[in-house]
Amino acid sequence: MEKTIVLVVFVIAYLLLLILPKYRAYVALFAATIIFTLGFIPGIDIDSLILLNGIDWNVLMMIAGTMIVVVFFVKSKAPAALADFIIDHVHSVKWAIISLAVFAGLVSAFVDNVATVLIIAPIAIDIAKRIKISPIPIIVAITVSANLQGFATLVGDTTSIMLGSATGMTFADFFWMDGRPGPFFIVQAGALATVGVQLILFRKLQAPLALKEKTHVNDFVPSLFLISIIALLIIASFIPNKPPLTNGYITMGVALVALTYDLIKQRCFKGVIEAIKKVDVTTLLLLVGLFIVIAALGEVGIINDIANAFASIGGGSPFIMFTLAVWVSVLLSAFIDNIPYVATMLPVMAALAPSLGISPYLLYFGLLAGSTLGGNLTPIGASANIAGIGILRNEGHEVKFIDFAKIAIPMTLVAVSVAYGLIWLFWAH
């Protein structure tokens, strides 16, 4: 009965999130309230000092902290200067979008996807305003590219960190392991293939870019704050047994330094208050609601049921099991958080590999490729998607499902297909 109730709440909430994009935060919070009221999520956890289990406080703090730093980054006119550089070096709107998407992907291979989107989005917004086009396709392309790179390195995504922890893989192993290419090169091949997709998707955006007047950065310190976030997140990834909220603490710490710097510089609280007001509370509340609803799927055993069914359907065929590991993960990650899913499935893959006579890394890599990239199939399939859509909403642009899907789905399917083929080619024997 518990499983039925949670599943019904999840399905109804998800449909309403797609139908009522302007009210996503309210829908998610209402569904979360139902879940919590019915007792499907434990409350206060004294040991971990977490108010509600299931909420990813790391992601929430990283979003809030990065948003604050980005406010000062934008005020410094650094995004405008970077936009000038891009406009001055590309020939058309099409190549401006592709350049930003590729850049976002490279950054995201080493930095959290959400932080990447929040850092690069202001540059895209500035370019869109300059050439008077909708920023929606640019932001969606950036978001999708950022998500595609999450599996590239040990520090690119939480699921990669989980894999490293479970298997002992090092940072170098993600590049080359056991005489074979690791995830990094496989992911780059998929990312390169998506450039071809973007050339088709944005083929009509041939308007030339012309730089009329260069922008001068009025303060380079906010740029240093953003660089500090990136550097500290990378350094932290190598620290063993660090507190689970380390990335959140780092981002909020830099945000606090940025607020203090502005206070000292301006000698008033005006800038501090403006920065805090610009934090997208709606996006944060939407994530809170989704975290609770998704956690309930795990609490009542639905994710475990999925894992068991996954194992039984695969039978004794390595190819069928690998195919399921990739494509079922793509489908499920479009609707549920990939972190509890991957946590559940990693031991399942480890147990299945010996009985199939194959390297467990074939299934591990298939699992992570599918679950990391699958979040791109829907606007709420990944935290970075939600953050990107939140930025657009703040700029007065509501993203319809079709607007997101017509860019995200083809890019994702191509990237997954390339990864699917290469992982089998390199790791099946």
Side-chain angles (χ1 to χ4, degrees), residues 6 75 185 226 241 308 312 324 407 419:
V6 171
K75 282 177 64 177
F185 294 107
L226 275 181
N241 303 317
N308 293 333
S312 62
L324 287 172
I407 297 173

Side-chain angles (χ1 to χ4, degrees), residues 311-381:
S312 62
I313 294 172
S317 168
F319 181 72
I320 292 177
M321 180 54 65
F322 170 68
T323 300
L324 287 172
V326 175
W327 294 106
V328 171
S329 298
V330 168
L331 179 62
L332 292 178
S333 294
F335 302 96
I336 65 174
D337 186 5
N338 61 7
I339 293 174
Y341 172 70
V342 169
T344 303
M345 292 302 295
L346 279 173
V348 174
M349 298 295 105
L352 286 171
S355 64
L356 296 171
I358 57 175
S359 166
Y361 291 100
L362 174 67
L363 300 182
Y364 289 149
F365 292 166
L367 171 68
L368 262 73
S371 60
T372 304
L373 305 184
N376 274 330
L377 292 181
T378 66
I380 60 171

Side-chain angles (χ1 to χ4, degrees), residues 87-205:
I87 291 172
D88 204 25
H89 288 79
V90 299
H91 304 295
S92 66
V93 174
K94 174 182 69 178
W95 281 108
I97 296 175
I98 294 173
S99 299
L100 281 174
V102 170
F103 179 56
L106 292 174
V107 172
S108 187
F110 302 92
V111 178
D112 179 81
N113 304 344
V114 175
T116 300
V117 171
L118 292 174
I119 290 168
I120 297 177
I123 305 170
I125 295 291
D126 198 275
I127 289 178
K129 288 180 178 178
R130 299 276 194 90
I131 56 183
K132 295 181 174 60
I133 66 168
S134 169
I136 292 176
I138 311 180
I139 297 297
V140 172
I142 287 171
T143 301
V144 172
S145 293
N147 284 329
L148 291 179
Q149 292 278 0
F151 177 42
T153 70
L154 177 63
V155 300
D157 191 78
T158 302
T159 53
S160 295
I161 295 172
M162 291 164 60
L163 175 63
S165 176
T167 63
M169 285 182 68
T170 65
F171 189 85
D173 287 336
F174 274 75
F175 291 82
W176 197 266
M177 186 172 70
D178 296 338
R180 289 177 273 190
F184 180 82
F185 294 107
I186 292 169
V187 169
Q188 300 319 310
L192 184 62
T194 65
V195 172
V197 176
Q198 292 176 72
L199 286 171
I200 297 172
L201 291 173
F202 307 130
R203 64 189 180 280
K204 295 181 180 179
L205 300 178

Side-chain angles (χ1 to χ4, degrees), residues 56-64 112 114 158 245 248 284 287 291 339 383:
D56 193 334
W57 296 103
N58 223 16
V59 168
L60 296 178
M61 286 195 292
M62 289 182 68
I63 290 177
D112 179 81
V114 175
T158 302
L245 300 181
L284 296 177
L287 284 170
F291 285 147
I339 293 174
S383 299

